Amino acid sequence: MFIDYAKIKVISGKGGNGHISFRRELYVPAGGPDGGDGGRGGDIIFEVDNGLNNLLPFKHQFKYKSTDGEEGGKKRCHGKDGEDLIIHVPNGTLIRDAETNKIIFDMTGKNTRVTLLKGGKGGLGNMHFATSVMQAPRYAKPGEPAKELNLILELKVLADVGLVGFPNVGKSTFISKVTNARPEIKNYHFTTINPHLGVCEVDDTEFVIADIPGIIEGAGEGVGLGLKFLKHIERTKILLHVIDIASVEGRDPLNDLDIIMNELNKFNINLTKKRQLIAANKIDSIDEESLNIKIKEIKDKYKNLEIYPISGISRKGIKELLKRLKELVIESRNEDHTDTFESEITIDEIINPNVEEVIIEKPTNNYYKISGEKINKMLGYTNLDTEKGMKYFQDFLKDEGIIKELKSKGMVEGDTVDVAGIEFTYYD
C-alpha cells in the first residue's frame, strides 16, 4: 500500500520541576537549600530514512510524544533528562502545519534532520534562590510545559525522471522493462493508481524513474485523482511524455500531448519549464509511413522537444532513449538543482503567534484586565503562592512597563487588576 498523506500530533517532553529540599545531616542543624534542577524534556526530531518510500508507518499511529524530564532531587541532584523522539520519514516529505496548511519544513536534499519541537527546560531547584535575606527559600521553578503541534505529512516522490501520459499508453510496461519496478500491467485504464519507483542503470550511471499514474483532462483542476497524481511530478528533474503513437485505442497522440501540457501548466507552470522528452510508444503497431507523418506533426508543434520512437514490448528504440536520459540526468545533477520548498511558517509563529503582545483593557472604572501569550508564559513559570514567586511576578509587571501603562490609564491604589483570570488589589 502506498501512502503519501498523513495527519499526526507531536508532543515534546515537559521539563521537570525544580525540587524544594534542605540539607539535613547530623551536626549540621541549619543546612541550606539543596533542591536540584529538573531535567530537560525530550525533543521531537524528524529524520530522513532512505529505506522508506512512503508514509505507511503513519497509517495506524497518530500521536507521537517524547518523554518528560524528571523532577530534581535532594542533595542538588539534577533530574534525568527526557529522551528525544526521532520520527523517521521518507526523503521528499513536506511537514505542514495542519491548521494553516503552510509548510514548516521540507525533508529533502541536505535537510535530512530537524529538531521540530524542543523539550521544555527543567525548572531550577530552591538551591538557586537563597539570598542573604531569604536563606531558606520554599520556592522552586516549575519546568517549562510541553509543546504540541498538529501536523500534515505530505510525500512528493523524488525521482530523476517522471513518466507522464494518459492511461494505458504503456508507461508501466516501459518502467518494467528498464528498471527493477514491477507494476501491475493490464489492458484497462488506471491499472496504476499509485506511483511506482524503479532504478535504471545505464553504463555506470544509476537514476530513478517514477511511473506517475495516468493523467486525464481536468487533472490540473482536481478531476479524478489529478492533484494527487500531479504533485509527484513537482520534484522530478526530467519529464518523459509517453504517448500512444499508434492510436491503438483511437486516441490522437498530438491531442493527448496538448492536453497533458495544458494540465501540467494549470497545476504548476514551472512543470512545463523542466527538461522534457517524448517517447512515441507502440511503434510495433503502426506502419512506417503513418509513423513518420505523426512524428512530423508533433515536431512541427513541439520543436524544442526530442522525440524517440520506441516499443515497450520489443524494447526497440529504448537503448537510444535511455542513453539520452542518462546524459540529461548527469547534466541536472551537475547543476546541483533540488526542488526544495521554502518554509512558509515557523514553529514560533504557530505556538506563540502573539508571544510579545500584552493586552491591557479597562472594562469598567477601577477594574483592569491584563492578558496575552507573554503573560500566560510568565505565569506558567511562576508559583504565586510563594513569596519569591510573587516578587518575581511584581518585578515582571514593573520591568515590562505594564504598571506604568496601567497608571497611564488611570489605575490608583485599591483598584482591581485581573491578570489572566487571577484578581489582585493594587497597592504602591
Side-chain angles (χ1 to χ4, degrees):
M1 179 180 292
F2 184 89
I3 303 293
D4 58 8
Y5 181 92
K7 283 188 174 182
I8 64 171
K9 172 178 279 191
V10 293
I11 307 170
S12 66
K14 175 189 178 298
N17 294 331
H19 190 69
I20 300 174
S21 62
F22 298 90
R23 186 180 174 192
R24 293 289 183 266
E25 295 181 25
L26 191 63
Y27 308 119
V28 186
D34 69 351
D37 301 340
R40 175 189 62 83
D43 299 339
I44 295 290
I45 299 170
F46 279 81
E47 186 172 88
V48 168
D49 183 344
N50 290 317
L52 296 175
N53 60 15
N54 71 78
L55 299 174
L56 183 59
F58 301 95
K59 180 175 173 61
H60 301 294
Q61 185 174 350
F62 167 74
K63 185 176 178 181
Y64 295 81
K65 186 183 185 310
S66 51
T67 58
D68 298 336
E70 291 184 354
E71 182 178 341
K74 299 177 180 180
K75 299 181 180 179
R76 299 175 176 258
C77 289
H78 193 288
K80 183 181 178 182
D81 291 340
E83 293 185 8
D84 298 336
L85 177 62
I86 300 177
I87 301 174
H88 294 98
V89 294
N91 201 349
T93 301
L94 289 179
I95 302 174
R96 296 181 181 269
D97 171 39
E99 184 174 346
T100 64
N101 204 40
K102 291 183 176 180
I103 297 171
I104 301 173
F105 205 78
D106 183 1
M107 304 296 291
T108 309
K110 297 179 181 178
N111 302 331
T112 58
R113 183 181 172 99
V114 60
T115 300
L116 201 72
L117 287 182
K118 297 288 291 184
K121 294 179 181 178
L124 300 177
N126 70 332
M127 65 179 179
H128 294 280
F129 300 100
T131 66
S132 59
V133 296
M134 186 185 295
Q135 297 182 6
R138 292 193 167 274
Y139 171 78
K141 200 170 184 180
E144 285 186 349
K147 301 178 182 68
E148 63 180 63
L149 280 176
N150 290 311
L151 302 174
I152 291 173
L153 302 182
E154 180 185 2
L155 176 62
K156 293 181 184 287
V157 166
L158 280 170
D160 297 293
V161 179
L163 305 184
V164 293
F166 269 78
N168 217 34
V169 295
K171 298 190 307 300
S172 296
T173 299
F174 176 80
I175 197 172
S176 70
K177 295 288 185 179
V178 302
T179 75
N180 56 356
R182 293 294 176 265
E184 182 182 5
I185 302 170
K186 291 184 179 179
N187 188 29
Y188 55 82
H189 289 179
F190 292 110
T191 298
T192 304
I193 59 173
N194 293 308
H196 290 287
L197 295 178
V199 178
C200 178
E201 184 174 355
V202 181
D203 300 328
D204 56 348
T205 301
E206 287 187 350
F207 53 91
V208 177
I209 299 178
D211 174 16
I212 308 299
I215 298 172
I216 61 174
E217 189 167 7
E221 298 170 342
V223 174
L225 298 176
L227 298 182
K228 178 179 171 66
F229 294 163
L230 284 167
K231 70 180 181 181
H232 292 299
I233 308 174
E234 290 186 286
R235 294 197 197 270
T236 57
K237 300 177 177 66
I238 301 157
L239 296 182
L240 179 60
H241 296 269
V242 182
I243 57 174
D244 176 5
I245 197 68
S247 301
V248 172
E249 296 190 348
R251 303 188 62 87
D252 179 359
L254 178 57
N255 185 57
D256 282 357
L257 194 58
D258 290 340
I259 292 172
I260 295 296
M261 290 292 190
N262 185 48
E263 296 306 324
L264 295 178
N265 191 60
K266 284 192 295 185
F267 180 73
N268 183 342
I269 194 170
N270 291 322
L271 292 181
T272 54
K273 297 177 182 178
K274 292 178 180 288
R275 294 175 174 87
Q276 300 180 68
L277 298 177
I278 300 173
N281 194 26
K282 303 187 181 182
I283 60 173
D284 290 343
S285 300
I286 186 173
D287 62 82
E288 187 173 351
E289 182 180 356
S290 299
L291 173 63
N292 291 334
I293 292 173
K294 289 191 175 185
I295 287 180
K296 184 179 184 303
E297 289 177 352
I298 294 172
K299 283 184 176 180
D300 288 344
K301 184 164 187 179
Y302 294 97
K303 297 179 175 61
N304 297 327
L305 298 189
E306 302 170 34
I307 303 178
Y308 289 82
I310 67 165
S311 168
I313 299 296
S314 67
R315 300 179 62 92
K316 189 175 181 180
I318 285 182
K319 184 177 180 180
E320 292 76 14
L321 173 58
L322 293 182
K323 181 179 179 181
R324 181 57 177 148
L325 287 175
K326 170 195 167 183
E327 293 171 353
L328 293 177
V329 167
I330 292 174
E331 286 179 16
S332 67
R333 290 176 180 175
N334 289 338
E335 293 174 3
D336 193 27
H337 174 69
T338 303
D339 292 316
T340 302
F341 291 81
E342 297 294 329
S343 297
E344 299 171 332
I345 193 169
T346 66
I347 298 298
D348 284 342
E349 288 173 330
I350 301 169
I351 297 178
N352 301 311
N354 301 306
V355 70
E356 298 303 323
E357 185 177 2
V358 175
I359 303 169
I360 299 177
E361 302 171 281
K362 187 179 181 180
T364 62
N365 288 335
N366 311 116
Y367 188 84
Y368 299 84
K369 291 186 70 174
I370 306 173
S371 60
E373 287 299 319
K374 195 167 189 176
I375 294 292
N376 295 336
K377 188 174 181 180
M378 179 273 300
L379 291 176
Y381 301 142
T382 309
N383 184 354
L384 299 182
D385 295 329
T386 66
E387 180 182 351
K388 184 76 173 179
M390 182 58 72
K391 185 177 185 307
Y392 175 81
F393 168 69
Q394 293 169 342
D395 289 343
F396 172 85
L397 296 180
K398 182 178 179 180
D399 294 342
E400 294 294 325
I402 297 172
I403 296 295
K404 183 178 180 180
E405 188 170 347
L406 286 167
K407 286 184 175 181
S408 72
K409 291 181 179 291
M411 184 183 71
V412 296
E413 284 194 3
D415 287 353
T416 301
V417 181
D418 180 320
V419 182
I422 305 172
E423 291 188 352
F424 301 90
T425 302
Y426 173 71
Y427 292 101
D428 281 325

